[in-house]
mmCIF file with all atom_site columns, all heavy atoms in Angstrom:
data_model
loop_
_atom_site.group_PDB
_atom_site.id
_atom_site.type_symbol
_atom_site.label_atom_id
_atom_site.label_alt_id
_atom_site.label_comp_id
_atom_site.label_asym_id
_atom_site.label_entity_id
_atom_site.label_seq_id
_atom_site.pdbx_PDB_ins_code
_atom_site.Cartn_x
_atom_site.Cartn_y
_atom_site.Cartn_z
_atom_site.occupancy
_atom_site.B_iso_or_equiv
_atom_site.pdbx_formal_charge
_atom_site.auth_seq_id
_atom_site.auth_comp_id
_atom_site.auth_asym_id
_atom_site.auth_atom_id
_atom_site.pdbx_PDB_model_num
ATOM 1  N N   . ARG B 1 82 ? 135.192 160.801 67.760 1.00 94.00 ? 82 ARG B N   1
ATOM 2  C CA  . ARG B 1 82 ? 135.125 161.203 66.361 1.00 94.00 ? 82 ARG B CA  1
ATOM 3  C C   . ARG B 1 82 ? 135.507 162.679 66.256 1.00 94.00 ? 82 ARG B C   1
ATOM 4  O O   . ARG B 1 82 ? 135.142 163.480 67.122 1.00 94.00 ? 82 ARG B O   1
ATOM 5  C CB  . ARG B 1 82 ? 133.709 161.008 65.813 1.00 94.00 ? 82 ARG B CB  1
ATOM 6  C CG  . ARG B 1 82 ? 133.265 159.571 65.718 1.00 94.00 ? 82 ARG B CG  1
ATOM 7  C CD  . ARG B 1 82 ? 133.808 158.912 64.455 1.00 94.00 ? 82 ARG B CD  1
ATOM 8  N NE  . ARG B 1 82 ? 133.689 157.451 64.532 1.00 94.00 ? 82 ARG B NE  1
ATOM 9  C CZ  . ARG B 1 82 ? 134.162 156.639 63.604 1.00 94.00 ? 82 ARG B CZ  1
ATOM 10 N NH1 . ARG B 1 82 ? 134.821 157.117 62.563 1.00 94.00 ? 82 ARG B NH1 1
ATOM 11 N NH2 . ARG B 1 82 ? 134.019 155.345 63.721 1.00 94.00 ? 82 ARG B NH2 1
ATOM 12 N N   . SER B 1 83 ? 136.213 163.007 65.198 1.00 93.00 ? 83 SER B N   1
ATOM 13 C CA  . SER B 1 83 ? 136.593 164.398 64.983 1.00 93.00 ? 83 SER B CA  1
ATOM 14 C C   . SER B 1 83 ? 135.365 165.231 64.627 1.00 93.00 ? 83 SER B C   1
ATOM 15 O O   . SER B 1 83 ? 134.436 164.758 63.975 1.00 93.00 ? 83 SER B O   1
ATOM 16 C CB  . SER B 1 83 ? 137.617 164.473 63.852 1.00 93.00 ? 83 SER B CB  1
ATOM 17 O OG  . SER B 1 83 ? 137.640 165.762 63.302 1.00 93.00 ? 83 SER B OG  1
ATOM 18 N N   . GLU B 1 84 ? 135.374 166.493 65.078 1.00 92.00 ? 84 GLU B N   1
ATOM 19 C CA  . GLU B 1 84 ? 134.267 167.391 64.750 1.00 92.00 ? 84 GLU B CA  1
ATOM 20 C C   . GLU B 1 84 ? 134.257 167.726 63.263 1.00 92.00 ? 84 GLU B C   1
ATOM 21 O O   . GLU B 1 84 ? 133.223 167.767 62.618 1.00 92.00 ? 84 GLU B O   1
ATOM 22 C CB  . GLU B 1 84 ? 134.402 168.695 65.554 1.00 92.00 ? 84 GLU B CB  1
ATOM 23 C CG  . GLU B 1 84 ? 134.116 168.525 67.031 1.00 92.00 ? 84 GLU B CG  1
ATOM 24 C CD  . GLU B 1 84 ? 132.686 168.034 67.272 1.00 92.00 ? 84 GLU B CD  1
ATOM 25 O OE1 . GLU B 1 84 ? 131.752 168.658 66.728 1.00 92.00 ? 84 GLU B OE1 1
ATOM 26 O OE2 . GLU B 1 84 ? 132.516 167.024 67.986 1.00 92.00 ? 84 GLU B OE2 1
ATOM 27 N N   . LYS B 1 85 ? 135.455 167.946 62.750 1.00 91.00 ? 85 LYS B N   1
ATOM 28 C CA  . LYS B 1 85 ? 135.570 168.404 61.362 1.00 91.00 ? 85 LYS B CA  1
ATOM 29 C C   . LYS B 1 85 ? 135.205 167.315 60.360 1.00 91.00 ? 85 LYS B C   1
ATOM 30 O O   . LYS B 1 85 ? 134.573 167.591 59.341 1.00 91.00 ? 85 LYS B O   1
ATOM 31 C CB  . LYS B 1 85 ? 137.018 168.848 61.096 1.00 91.00 ? 85 LYS B CB  1
ATOM 32 C CG  . LYS B 1 85 ? 137.403 170.097 61.854 1.00 91.00 ? 85 LYS B CG  1
ATOM 33 C CD  . LYS B 1 85 ? 138.884 170.403 61.647 1.00 91.00 ? 85 LYS B CD  1
ATOM 34 C CE  . LYS B 1 85 ? 139.407 171.268 62.778 1.00 91.00 ? 85 LYS B CE  1
ATOM 35 N NZ  . LYS B 1 85 ? 140.767 170.925 63.192 1.00 91.00 ? 85 LYS B NZ  1
ATOM 36 N N   . ASP B 1 86 ? 135.691 166.132 60.640 1.00 94.00 ? 86 ASP B N   1
ATOM 37 C CA  . ASP B 1 86 ? 135.430 165.019 59.715 1.00 94.00 ? 86 ASP B CA  1
ATOM 38 C C   . ASP B 1 86 ? 135.015 163.813 60.544 1.00 94.00 ? 86 ASP B C   1
ATOM 39 O O   . ASP B 1 86 ? 135.838 163.181 61.186 1.00 94.00 ? 86 ASP B O   1
ATOM 40 C CB  . ASP B 1 86 ? 136.706 164.706 58.923 1.00 94.00 ? 86 ASP B CB  1
ATOM 41 C CG  . ASP B 1 86 ? 136.477 163.612 57.894 1.00 94.00 ? 86 ASP B CG  1
ATOM 42 O OD1 . ASP B 1 86 ? 135.483 162.875 58.011 1.00 94.00 ? 86 ASP B OD1 1
ATOM 43 O OD2 . ASP B 1 86 ? 137.294 163.496 56.966 1.00 94.00 ? 86 ASP B OD2 1
ATOM 44 N N   . ARG B 1 87 ? 133.752 163.525 60.498 1.00 93.00 ? 87 ARG B N   1
ATOM 45 C CA  . ARG B 1 87 ? 133.244 162.531 61.433 1.00 93.00 ? 87 ARG B CA  1
ATOM 46 C C   . ARG B 1 87 ? 133.615 161.100 61.050 1.00 93.00 ? 87 ARG B C   1
ATOM 47 O O   . ARG B 1 87 ? 133.242 160.144 61.741 1.00 93.00 ? 87 ARG B O   1
ATOM 48 C CB  . ARG B 1 87 ? 131.733 162.684 61.611 1.00 93.00 ? 87 ARG B CB  1
ATOM 49 C CG  . ARG B 1 87 ? 131.328 164.084 62.064 1.00 93.00 ? 87 ARG B CG  1
ATOM 50 C CD  . ARG B 1 87 ? 129.926 164.148 62.606 1.00 93.00 ? 87 ARG B CD  1
ATOM 51 N NE  . ARG B 1 87 ? 129.663 163.150 63.652 1.00 93.00 ? 87 ARG B NE  1
ATOM 52 C CZ  . ARG B 1 87 ? 130.168 163.204 64.884 1.00 93.00 ? 87 ARG B CZ  1
ATOM 53 N NH1 . ARG B 1 87 ? 130.962 164.190 65.251 1.00 93.00 ? 87 ARG B NH1 1
ATOM 54 N NH2 . ARG B 1 87 ? 129.869 162.261 65.745 1.00 93.00 ? 87 ARG B NH2 1
ATOM 55 N N   . ARG B 1 88 ? 134.374 160.935 59.974 1.00 95.00 ? 88 ARG B N   1
ATOM 56 C CA  . ARG B 1 88 ? 134.913 159.607 59.696 1.00 95.00 ? 88 ARG B CA  1
ATOM 57 C C   . ARG B 1 88 ? 136.157 159.362 60.543 1.00 95.00 ? 88 ARG B C   1
ATOM 58 O O   . ARG B 1 88 ? 136.497 158.227 60.870 1.00 95.00 ? 88 ARG B O   1
ATOM 59 C CB  . ARG B 1 88 ? 135.330 159.501 58.219 1.00 95.00 ? 88 ARG B CB  1
ATOM 60 C CG  . ARG B 1 88 ? 134.186 159.473 57.249 1.00 95.00 ? 88 ARG B CG  1
ATOM 61 C CD  . ARG B 1 88 ? 134.712 159.610 55.844 1.00 95.00 ? 88 ARG B CD  1
ATOM 62 N NE  . ARG B 1 88 ? 135.493 160.840 55.686 1.00 95.00 ? 88 ARG B NE  1
ATOM 63 C CZ  . ARG B 1 88 ? 135.985 161.251 54.527 1.00 95.00 ? 88 ARG B CZ  1
ATOM 64 N NH1 . ARG B 1 88 ? 135.815 160.540 53.431 1.00 95.00 ? 88 ARG B NH1 1
ATOM 65 N NH2 . ARG B 1 88 ? 136.654 162.376 54.454 1.00 95.00 ? 88 ARG B NH2 1
#
Side-chain angles (χ1 to χ4, degrees):
Chain B
R82 293 279 165 184
S83 159
E84 289 299 308
K85 292 175 202 142
D86 183 342
R87 304 196 52 72
R88 289 170 303 185

